[in-house]
Amino acid sequence: MFLQLASTAGVVLLILILGPASYLASLIPTCASASPPCIPLLQLIVHRFGLRPEAIALAGIILDTLSSQFIRKWRTELSRLCVWDLCGCGMGEILALVALGIAAKWIEDRGVSLTAGAMSDISDERFGRKEITATERLMLAEVGWGLMDLSSERDLKWAMEEMNRWRARVELEQR
């Protein structure tokens, strides 16, 4: 459903993005959703963004900084918007989507605005513009509206090494 790749190249791509998707899934706070993150959805999101490893690493750093207070504020905000059944599942993936979007805006310069609508398209419209906008606003507030401290060369290097460890782990599991 989410990512159907039949060719040999597609299988290789699937494994290449499975590591980063699993890495991001490991950083989504467990209290964000009633169920664990959907790895195939995260693979789709990572694939569609097509970001450099540094941007994915920054998204991981952003996810890693989220506090339990953030999750409470975020869930309250989404319940005010009446967009989700908060007892449902599949909410954590929007955190990865938005973290990737923020990282893309910070690290990648494509000359194109990455709007909430574009991020909704990337997620196969699983998440709406209201949810994405609210999540992005709250996430940026959580990191103090600045990414300079989070995107140091040392931190990005550590996060990319961690992502590579996840990739190696996934490759071993696939054998």
Side-chain angles (χ1 to χ4, degrees):
M1 178 176 156
F2 292 111
L3 188 57
Q4 298 174 354
L5 299 170
S7 69
T8 304
V11 172
V12 171
L13 177 63
L14 181 67
I15 291 172
L16 288 176
I17 61 175
L18 183 56
S22 297
Y23 166 68
L24 293 174
S26 75
L27 296 170
I28 294 173
T30 55
C31 58
S33 181
S35 65
C38 176
I39 300 297
L41 177 57
L42 291 174
Q43 285 178 280
L44 173 74
I45 290 168
V46 168
H47 173 67
R48 288 197 174 158
F49 263 109
L51 300 174
R52 296 185 318 213
E54 295 86 358
I56 298 170
L58 179 56
I61 292 169
I62 293 167
L63 289 172
D64 198 35
T65 65
L66 300 179
S67 66
S68 57
Q69 291 84 8
F70 165 83
I71 297 298
R72 280 196 293 279
K73 287 180 203 171
W74 173 68
R75 290 172 66 92
T76 300
E77 179 71 19
L78 292 183
S79 69
R80 279 192 205 130
L81 293 173
C82 300
V83 292
W84 273 333
D85 170 12
L86 293 180
C87 295
C89 59
M91 293 180 6
E93 294 87 345
I94 192 174
L95 297 174
L97 173 77
V98 171
L100 285 164
I102 291 169
K105 291 175 186 179
W106 182 255
I107 290 184
E108 305 272 331
D109 183 13
R110 299 181 184 179
V112 176
S113 176
L114 188 56
T115 64
M119 284 194 273
S120 180
D121 291 344
I122 286 171
S123 72
D124 257 356
E125 297 182 4
R126 176 153 181 174
F127 307 113
R129 292 176 178 158
K130 286 181 182 180
E131 297 99 320
I132 291 169
T133 302
T135 302
E136 185 175 41
R137 179 178 41 79
L138 290 168
M139 199 175 279
L140 284 169
E142 177 76 0
V143 298
W145 295 92
L147 298 175
M148 189 65 77
D149 292 339
L150 298 179
S151 61
S152 73
E153 187 175 327
R154 183 195 68 183
D155 290 340
L156 286 175
K157 181 180 177 190
W158 178 86
M160 288 191 314
E161 288 170 357
E162 186 68 17
M163 190 168 47
N164 286 332
R165 282 189 284 277
W166 273 94
R167 179 178 287 131
R169 180 189 208 176
V170 165
E171 288 173 1
L172 280 175
E173 290 172 2
Q174 297 297 314
R175 290 182 191 172

